[in-house]
Amino acid sequence: MIVAASANGRAGMAAALDILRRGGSALDAVEAATRAVEADVNDHSVGVGGYPNALGEVELDASLMEGTARRAGAVAALRGYPHPISVARAILERLPQHVLLAGEGAARFAAECGFAPAELLTEEARDAWQRRMGDERAWRTMPLQDLAARMQDPQRAAGTVNFLARDAQGRLASAVSTSGWAFKYPGRVGDSPLIGAGNYCDDRYGACACTGLGEWAIRAATARTVVLGLQHGLSLQEAGAGAMADLRAIPLPPQVEPVMNLIVLDREGRHAAFSTQAGRTYLWQSPDMVAPEEASRHEAGEGMA
Ligand code: ASP
């Protein structure tokens, strides 16, 4: 049994470990862990308190996947509900013919399931948006695409939470939740709710989840690439570094910072993490440990594989 998470997942580790220790499923563990981070108003990249889009509206993306039957649920650009991961779980359970609901349809489904709506935009996030907007008269006349491009701020835009778990029965599950790029174009969807891009899980081989530049992971189907590497007999190190090298083969526009972070968990519960940036970390914990350990990610920089 084990849980691995992005470094901003600390608030959810205890909930996940508690479920695994009691014999619960990996899927329950990653959902409960993600909910704890979504509820944290001080995390400006996930759930309540997340930074809004260019119009000042918080839009959330999330997905979860279980590795036994590869069932998945996901929501994109969901407004007004603080726990997108649980709406994604409800899609997995109650709408088995669907995987992903977006926008109004996702919100309608959340209401139908009885999820409690909430205001997601905190004062702090609204202030940050307004500061970034500057002169309101100017932006009211500006095409939204110019506004969104002008407002993007890599210093504060990034962040997503990842949880991967393996339970006592050897089942794997993965969960990803985010408010996406701060001040994004309304309706922009990143990699987090896209199965194969930001999230993938298969009990037979392993699971992978991403944070970073979602558009990059979408174009390279990064999470699936990593798991496919494991399927083809690569080690964790080879599969992770190989997927990072594959991303590097996609040229990005100069104004875009090439940031990608991966966590990988294999079917035996071994784990590793990778980043384009030096000094990045991730968390992992098994039930015999009292607290998570913060471990270094492998740096997979330019030209490295
Ligand atoms: N991957 C997320 C997205 O593109 C953002 C992030 O992890 O920084 O929406």
Side-chain angles (χ1 to χ4, degrees):
M1 287 184 279
I2 192 155
V3 180
S6 48
N8 60 342
R10 194 172 288 276
M13 293 300 276
L17 267 293
D18 194 43
I19 287 170
L20 294 185
R21 284 191 188 107
R22 287 189 280 108
S25 72
L27 192 60
D28 284 345
V30 295
E31 182 191 354
T34 305
R35 286 178 62 91
V37 181
E38 288 174 341
D40 179 359
V41 293
N42 295 316
D43 190 321
H44 295 303
S45 63
V46 182
V48 184
Y51 282 138
N53 64 22
L55 295 176
E57 299 151 337
V58 181
E59 292 184 331
L60 303 177
D61 294 345
S63 67
L64 44 67
M65 185 168 192
E66 59 83 24
T68 307
R70 283 186 280 171
R71 290 181 302 150
V75 290
L78 173 64
R79 291 190 204 161
Y81 289 87
H83 290 298
I85 202 68
S86 293
V87 183
R89 175 76 186 265
I91 293 168
L92 183 154
E93 304 284 358
R94 301 193 203 181
L95 277 185
Q97 71 279 34
H98 295 66
V99 168
L100 170 63
L101 293 180
E104 279 176 23
R108 183 187 175 121
F109 175 74
E112 225 174 80
C113 291
F115 287 105
E119 175 56 71
L120 305 181
L121 186 64
T122 58
E123 225 169 280
E124 204 184 332
R126 183 187 286 113
D127 287 350
W129 170 68
Q130 271 166 348
R131 273 197 307 278
R132 191 72 192 158
M133 292 281 290
D135 181 0
E136 211 175 299
R137 277 161 309 175
W139 70 259
R140 287 225 179 266
T141 56
M142 191 184 284
L144 199 49
Q145 51 190 292
D146 295 345
L147 178 70
R150 181 182 290 204
M151 285 183 68
Q152 234 181 46
D153 176 2
Q155 293 310 312
R156 67 163 92 237
T160 293
V161 73
N162 295 161
F163 284 99
L164 305 176
R166 182 178 189 272
D167 63 28
Q169 295 176 45
R171 294 173 299 191
L172 303 181
S174 52
V176 180
S177 185
T178 188
S179 49
W181 286 92
F183 321 133
K184 61 196 173 185
Y185 198 100
R188 177 268 184 186
V189 174
D191 59 322
S192 306
L194 300 184
I195 298 303
N199 187 356
Y200 201 74
C201 183
D202 185 334
D203 284 1
R204 298 171 301 171
Y205 310 111
C208 176
C210 306
T211 69
L213 179 60
E215 284 72 6
W216 217 14
I218 292 170
R219 292 166 67 189
T222 298
R224 175 68 171 140
T225 299
V226 172
V227 175
L228 199 61
L230 298 175
Q231 178 175 347
H232 289 159
L234 300 184
S235 66
L236 282 172
Q237 174 67 36
E238 290 165 340
M244 293 296 255
D246 185 55
L247 281 164
R248 288 284 187 195
I250 297 178
L252 293 173
Q255 65 271 33
V256 174
E257 205 189 342
V259 176
M260 187 53 55
N261 309 288
L262 317 174
I263 307 177
V264 195
L265 181 70
D266 77 7
R267 65 178 181 186
E268 310 294 346
R270 291 177 293 240
H271 50 89
F274 302 81
S275 179
T276 48
Q277 299 171 316
R280 298 294 299 261
T281 59
Y282 72 109
L283 304 174
W284 69 274
Q285 189 175 355
S286 53
D288 52 317
M289 294 161 61
V290 291
E293 184 167 321
E294 190 156 359
S296 296
R297 291 178 185 255
H298 300 284
E299 187 189 351
E302 206 158 359
M304 291 170 64

